[in-house]
Amino acid sequence: MQLIGEINVGRPLLVLAVREEAQYLGSGLPVLLTGMGKVNAATALATVLARGPRPSGVVNLGTAGALRPGWTGTHVIGTVIQHDLDSRVLRNLTGETYGAPLTLVDAGGPTLATGDSFISDEASRERLAAQAPLVDMEGYALAAAADRAGVPLRIVKHVSDDAGEGAARTWRESVADCARVLADWAAEHLPAGS
């Protein structure tokens, strides 16, 4: 976890998993690098929000794998789900629902499936494509932490790979281009004075 800059009330906090995704940001807004995966994402954001001051909102910028053909470009996410938590089994065991889908402030956007596995095989891709068009490793965890803290969250993902065979290589080759697109999105939608 690394916080770059200072969080101020009335201004958003940018949250990204790794430095490679943040390399072109120049908005003057504070940036939290969480590390990859749900645990790193949730604990980093929860720690920063608990310390205060609270930002006006959180904006998660990052890369995502496309689970369905034709999904490219930048997407503002509407709903997040966990693809690696079997909520049905847990509900049968306890009578409680854990890991229900979370609807974000941009409710009309696509669904993002989050899990701790980097999806890079066709079987996993096909299984997950029935639930969502995009996949990442941090979105749901960030949404849960922000929701519990009462801070609005937006998730903006740029497709880096097809979440199939060769996805890891494709991510490494495309992350710099994705970072540039995400920085441009931030500059356009989140001016430094906001």
Side-chain angles (χ1 to χ4, degrees):
M1 175 181 110
Q2 180 183 9
L3 178 61
I4 303 164
E6 292 185 25
I7 297 172
N8 297 302
V9 175
R11 296 180 68 208
L13 169 65
L14 302 181
V15 178
L16 298 94
V18 292
R19 184 171 302 281
E20 291 87 347
E21 293 173 325
Q23 63 185 304
Y24 297 110
L25 288 174
S27 67
L29 295 172
V31 174
L32 175 64
L33 301 176
T34 65
M36 288 185 170
K38 293 190 306 185
V39 171
N40 287 329
T43 56
L45 183 57
T47 298
V48 167
L49 292 177
R51 284 183 192 159
R54 294 260 177 112
S56 61
V58 173
V59 180
N60 170 227
L61 301 172
T63 56
L67 297 168
R68 298 177 186 162
W71 279 79
T72 61
T74 305
H75 302 276
V76 180
I77 303 302
T79 303
V80 287
I81 62 172
Q82 290 187 83
H83 70 74
D84 58 356
L85 179 70
D86 195 337
S87 297
R88 185 180 46 80
V89 169
L90 296 177
R91 188 173 40 258
N92 289 339
L93 290 172
T94 67
E96 306 234 0
T97 299
Y98 295 93
L102 297 174
T103 301
L104 305 177
V105 296
D106 298 296
T111 298
L112 175 70
T114 298
D116 279 320
S117 299
F118 186 87
I119 304 302
S120 60
D121 67 273
E122 296 305 319
S124 295
R125 180 183 188 211
E126 285 183 31
R127 178 180 53 81
L128 292 175
Q131 301 173 53
L134 301 169
V135 64
D136 85 334
M137 297 176 67
E138 297 83 25
Y140 188 95
L142 295 169
D147 183 61
R148 289 193 182 159
V151 177
L153 172 79
R154 298 183 83 191
I155 297 178
V156 179
K157 296 293 180 174
H158 189 77
V159 175
S160 58
D161 59 81
D162 68 0
E165 300 298 329
R169 180 181 55 18
T170 303
W171 184 87
R172 282 190 299 275
E173 292 171 353
S174 69
V175 69
D177 290 336
C178 293
R180 192 174 307 281
V181 170
L182 291 167
D184 289 346
W185 187 94
E188 181 179 342
H189 295 91
L190 304 169
S194 65

